[in-house]
């Protein structure tokens, strides 16, 4: 039997883990209720407003999930500030970032047998930065539509400019809808890459989002970005 000595790297703070799972739940709820808002379900031929699936309930659930998501996003930003390992954004100013990203991408496309070891590889960092950009678009467009019931109130004044920039509330709705589908596509790719890494590299990629730690035999190239590792018992 082969004996492997691994080190424990504490990577994900409670802030990031809490944010991650609230985000997962909120995205599922937001996407389902968003689809129902876009195309309400007709039950027994009754107009959707008067059925047990009242659109008021669906919209309220959508709004509650949206506010919970925003609260978790603020928590994520706090974790980004206080915990070294939560700093996942791509280091585009470093020249080796681009070659390493291509190297990892070729591996995930099954064109290379392996890639350099990382705690958070540059391709993942780039995808998260793209996700946060899409999240920001969803927040801005969502609140721009939400506060148009009272455009003269503070919410309308804070977010009304989004409708002006995009050319009207209908265009804001379309941007919100399209970006929601892009986030779902990201989620599918994210699950694929996590499960693939877990199966092929056996580094506890999935469990790390529960425990906050990874168990690695090798020394990752970005090990200096987290606390010094401990020996696994």
């Amino acid at each position: 039997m082969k004996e492997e000595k691994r080190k424990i790297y504490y990577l994900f703070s409670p802030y990031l883990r809490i944010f991650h799972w609230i985000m997962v739940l909120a995205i599922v709820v937001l996407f389902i209720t968003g689809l129902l808002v876009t195309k309400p379900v007709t039950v027994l031929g009754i107009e959707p407003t008067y059925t047990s699936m009242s659109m008021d309930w669906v919209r309220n659930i959508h709004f509650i999930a949206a506010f919970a998501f925003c609260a978790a996003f603020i928590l994520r930003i706090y974790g980004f500030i206080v915990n070294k390992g939560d700093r996942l954004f791509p280091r585009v100013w470093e020249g080796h970032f681009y070659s390493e990203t291509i190297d990892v991408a070729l591996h995930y496309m099954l064109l290379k047998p392996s890639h350099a070891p990382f705690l958070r590889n540059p391709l993942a960092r780039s995808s998260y930065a793209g996700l946060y950009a899409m999240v920001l678009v969803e927040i801005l467009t969502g609140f721009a539509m939400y506060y148009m019931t009272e455009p003269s109130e503070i919410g309308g004044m804070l977010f009304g400019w989004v409708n002006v920039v995009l050319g009207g509330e209908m265009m804001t709705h379309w941007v919100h809808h399209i970006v929601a589908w892009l986030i779902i596509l990201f989620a599918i790719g994210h699950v694929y890459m996590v499960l693939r890494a877990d199966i092929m590299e056996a580094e506890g990629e999935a469990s790390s989002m529960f425990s906050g730690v990874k168990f690695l035999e090798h020394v990752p190239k970005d090990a200096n970005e987290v606390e010094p590792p401990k020996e696994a018992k």
Side-chain angles (χ1 to χ4, degrees), residues 127-144:
S127 67
Y128 297 145
L131 172 65
Y132 296 149
M134 291 189 289
V135 165
L136 182 60
V137 170
E138 288 295 89
I139 290 173
L140 291 175
T141 55
F143 281 127

Side-chain angles (χ1 to χ4, degrees), residues 30 33 56 58-68 142-143 146:
L30 285 167
T33 54
D56 281 341
V58 174
R59 291 173 74 251
N60 287 337
I61 292 171
H62 190 81
F63 298 150
I64 291 170
F67 280 105
F143 281 127
Y146 179 78

Side-chain angles (χ1 to χ4, degrees), residues 114-181:
S114 63
H115 63 77
F118 299 97
L119 285 170
R120 306 306 299 165
N121 68 64
L123 181 62
R125 290 172 185 261
S126 300
S127 67
Y128 297 145
L131 172 65
Y132 296 149
M134 291 189 289
V135 165
L136 182 60
V137 170
E138 288 295 89
I139 290 173
L140 291 175
T141 55
F143 281 127
M145 292 184 289
Y146 179 78
Y147 284 115
M148 282 304 97
T149 55
E150 297 287 346
S152 60
E153 297 294 328
I154 185 168
M157 291 187 288
L158 286 174
F159 296 98
W161 61 269
V162 177
N163 294 320
V164 176
V165 170
L166 294 178
E169 194 172 346
M170 188 63 193
M171 185 58 67
T172 301
H173 167 80
W174 276 109
V175 171
H176 192 78
H177 185 79
I178 291 169
V179 174
W181 277 104

Side-chain angles (χ1 to χ4, degrees), residues 98-119:
Y98 302 97
S99 59
E100 291 173 349
T101 302
I102 294 172
D103 186 50
V104 174
L106 291 174
H107 173 63
Y108 279 117
M109 291 188 291
L110 306 178
L111 298 176
K112 288 191 67 175
S114 63
H115 63 77
F118 299 97
L119 285 170

